[in-house]
C-alpha cells in the first residue's frame, strides 16, 4: 500500500443547493458539478473543484445530501444538523488489491466494493479502525479525474 | 474571494506518534514531517504529504495533538476519543483582504490573525457560519509550500 491521491473530502449537508451557494458565493468556487442522484448510496452528490498550482485538479469537496429517509447519512445529520465533514477518500491503482491489503491488516470494510460517485469501484473502512475517520478507498479513474 | 488551494485537512489525534504509524504503515505515506510544538495554538503538529499527478504537493493531512490541558482541541477529543476530522484549511493570496471579505459577509472570525503551522498568517471561521465546518484561512507561503 502506498498513499494515493486525496481524491476528495466528503461533506454532508442538509441542502446541496445551499452548500453550492456557500461554496460559490462565500468561498468563490468557480467549478461545481451539477448535482446527481446516487440512489444505491442513498445520497445526492456534487463536486466542488479546488485549484492546484497547475490547474483545477486539486482535492475535491464532495457535497452529499440524503437521497431519502433510509440514507446512511441521516444519522450524521441528526447529530450535525448544519452538516460537516463526513469522510475522506484516497485513490488506489487497484481496488481489489487494496481491499485484500486492508483485510490482511485486519481493518473492517463496510459492505461490498461498489461503484462510487466518480464511476470507479470504491469501498469504505470503519472509522474505528481508521483513527476515527470514515475512509473511502476508490480506484483512480483511468483517464481524467 | 476566489476559492484557493485546499492546503490541508486538520485531523485531531490523541497521539501523533500513533497517527504517524497509521499513515506510514497502514496507508503507505512516504513523506511525513517531524512533529513540532505550536504552543500559541495549544497543539503539537505534523504534516502528512499526499501525492498529486505531478509530485507530493497535494492537500496535506495536518495531525494535531493537544499540547497541554488548555488545548482548544481537548473538547473535540473528549467527544471523539479516537480522533477525527477537525478542520479544513484554504489558502488565500492576502490574509488581510480575506479577513475583510469574510467580515463584510458577516462571518464570525475566531480570534486575531496569527501565525500558523506553515509560518504564514491564518485565522479561523466559526463552523456555524461555514456549513458546520471549522474553516481555517491561511496566506499562501511565498515560495514552496
Amino acid at each position: 500500500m502506498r498513499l494515493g491521491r486525496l481524491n476528495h473530502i466528503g461533506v454532508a449537508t442538509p441542502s446541496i443547493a445551499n452548500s453550492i451557494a456557500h461554496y460559490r458565493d462565500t468561498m468563490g468556487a468557480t467549478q461545481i458539478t451539477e448535482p446527481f442522484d446516487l440512489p444505491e448510496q442513498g445520497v445526492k452528490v456534487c463536486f466542488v473543484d479546488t485549484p492546484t498550482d497547475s490547474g483545477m485538479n486539486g482535492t475535491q469537496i464532495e457535497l452529499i445530501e440524503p437521497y431519502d429517509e433510509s440514507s446512511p447519512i441521516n444519522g450524521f445529520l441528526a447529530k450535525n444538523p448544519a452538516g460537516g465533514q463526513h469522510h475522506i477518500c484516497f485513490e488506489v491503482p487497484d481496488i481489489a488489491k487494496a481491499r485484500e491489503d486492508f483485510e490482511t491488516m485486519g481493518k473492517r470494510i463496510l459492505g461490498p466494493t461498489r461503484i462510487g460517485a466518480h464511476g470507479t469501484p470504491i469501498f469504505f473502512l470503519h472509522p474505528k479502525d481508521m483513527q476515527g475517520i470514515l475512509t473511502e478507498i476508490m480506484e483512480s479513474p483511468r483517464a481524467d479525474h
Side-chain angles (χ1 to χ4, degrees), chain A:
Chain A
M1 178 76 55
R2 195 187 169 96
L3 186 70
R5 195 169 163 277
L6 184 58
N7 182 275
H8 64 263
I9 58 171
V11 169
T13 172
S15 164
I16 277 199
N18 287 351
S19 290
I20 287 175
H22 169 82
Y23 280 98
R24 186 190 57 216
D25 303 336
T26 301
M27 297 302 297
T30 54
Q31 285 183 208
I32 304 178
T33 68
E34 278 296 310
F36 60 98
D37 294 338
L38 213 58
E40 313 82 39
Q41 316 267 15
V43 290
K44 298 175 198 179
V45 184
C46 79
F47 289 96
V48 179
D49 294 339
T50 73
T52 61
D53 298 334
S54 57
M56 288 299 289
N57 56 338
T59 293
Q60 292 173 310
I61 296 157
E62 180 189 48
L63 298 172
I64 47 177
E65 176 191 308
Y67 178 68
D68 57 20
E69 310 77 47
S70 64
S71 173
I73 68 168
N74 283 332
F76 180 91
L77 286 170
K79 277 186 227 156
N80 307 276
Q85 297 182 73
H86 180 264
H87 67 270
I88 63 178
C89 176
F90 289 101
E91 293 182 20
V92 294
D94 179 338
I95 198 81
K97 173 74 166 59
R99 191 171 176 112
E100 197 182 299
D101 288 349
F102 282 111
E103 274 170 351
T104 302
M105 290 186 281
K107 302 295 180 188
R108 280 166 287 182
I109 298 175
L110 302 167
T113 299
R114 51 201 185 276
I115 298 300
H118 281 291
T120 69
I122 62 114
F123 61 81
F124 282 91
L125 292 155
H126 199 300
K128 288 208 172 147
D129 292 342
M130 300 299 286
Q131 308 265 308
I133 299 180
L134 178 62
T135 305
E136 180 180 354
I137 303 296
M138 75 173 260
E139 193 164 282
S140 300
R142 301 240 175 251
D144 260 5
H145 308 273

